[in-house]
Amino acid sequence: MEFSDFGLDRKIMSTVEHLGFNKPTEIQQQAIPAAMTGQDLIASSKTGSGKTLAFIIPAMQRLMKNRPLSKRDPRVVILTPTRELAKQVFNQLRIFTAGSQFKAVLILGGENFNDQVKTLAKDPHFIVATPGRLADHLTQRHFHLNGLELLILDEADRMLDLGFAEQLNQINQAADHRKRQTLMFSATLDHAQVNDFALALLKKPKRIAIGSAH
Ligand code: ADP
Ligand code: MG
């Protein structure tokens, strides 16, 4: 299978070519077309298997294809367990949003709160964040999630291990479920809390497990 088999927007294809990736990895081969159907996913594959593009590519495709439901609310939120991971995801995302109409911002714990309030007031299309700080801004109504189209939980198992369940629930509840798609990625699906969370957050999710008996 090739990237050209997914029916992606031309700009996305040219970014993938620019990155020099010839072939989608296994998780990308399964998760990209599944996510593009609009269904919820719970997906696992090992570290280094290319999960970041497995969600960035369908997220970009969705935004380029769909008319905005809301002008002001973020359309895609990507949550990661740590600041370092959030930065890595943000850097990958920016390669795709560069030169597009889409604005992406990074909201991390430990950084200046008031600067982030100003950043959120600029109505970004994408937010990449760590859950604690994003939940704080949500509590203080510095942004809303009424127009959210896509919620992505990267390394959901680690976020739960780090004690972010309450913040994830808060973010989940603030976003309209009817028009929202949720993609959950995890290194493993053999994690009881991940499965409980999937039941609570995902609608009839498709399960994709690469390199596992499950
Ligand atoms: P994971 O999130 O599963 O740990 P990453 O998304 O961080 O993995 O990707 C690991 C590395 O593989 C990164 O350096 C990324 O740029 C590279 N990569 C991603 N997709 C491909 C691909 N289709 N072909 C070659 N390399 C890729
Ligand atoms: Mg990753």
Side-chain angles (χ1 to χ4, degrees), residues 29-47:
Q29 288 182 29
Q30 294 208 28
I32 292 171
M36 283 170 67
T37 68
Q39 67 190 318
D40 285 359
L41 296 187
I42 174 163
S44 70
S45 68
K46 65 181 195 311
T47 300

Side-chain angles (χ1 to χ4, degrees), residues 3 16 19-28 32 45-57 85 88-89 92 95 154-155 185-187:
F3 281 105
V16 170
L19 287 169
F21 298 158
N22 300 318
K23 224 176 115 62
T25 64
E26 223 177 326
I27 184 74
Q28 291 163 3
I32 292 171
S45 68
K46 65 181 195 311
T47 300
S49 59
K51 291 191 287 296
T52 316
L53 291 194
F55 57 78
I56 285 178
I57 288 174
L85 277 165
Q88 286 172 24
V89 169
Q92 292 266 300
I95 298 171
D154 187 23
E155 304 217 7
F185 287 81
S186 177

Side-chain angles (χ1 to χ4, degrees), residues 157-212:
D157 46 354
R158 278 183 71 194
M159 286 199 281
L160 293 169
D161 287 341
L162 289 170
F164 283 129
E166 191 187 323
Q167 289 86 351
L168 295 178
N169 274 321
Q170 185 191 346
I171 292 163
N172 172 51
Q173 278 162 22
D176 189 332
H177 284 235
R178 285 163 305 175
K179 56 191 179 205
R180 189 192 85 203
Q181 182 183 12
T182 308
L183 309 179
M184 191 186 258
F185 287 81
S186 177
T188 170
L189 299 184
D190 310 331
H191 189 299
Q193 218 188 344
V194 167
N195 282 299
D196 290 348
F197 236 74
L199 281 176
L201 267 74
L202 308 180
K203 295 180 298 258
K204 296 187 181 144
K206 182 179 169 74
R207 288 174 77 92
I208 297 173
I210 307 294
S212 147

Side-chain angles (χ1 to χ4, degrees), residues 79 107 113 129-141 143 164 166-168 170-171:
L79 299 172
I107 301 291
F113 197 83
T130 47
R133 180 58 66 90
L134 197 70
D136 289 344
H137 286 291
L138 200 54
T139 301
Q140 298 191 27
R141 300 181 179 278
F143 75 108
F164 283 129
E166 191 187 323
Q167 289 86 351
L168 295 178
Q170 185 191 346
I171 292 163

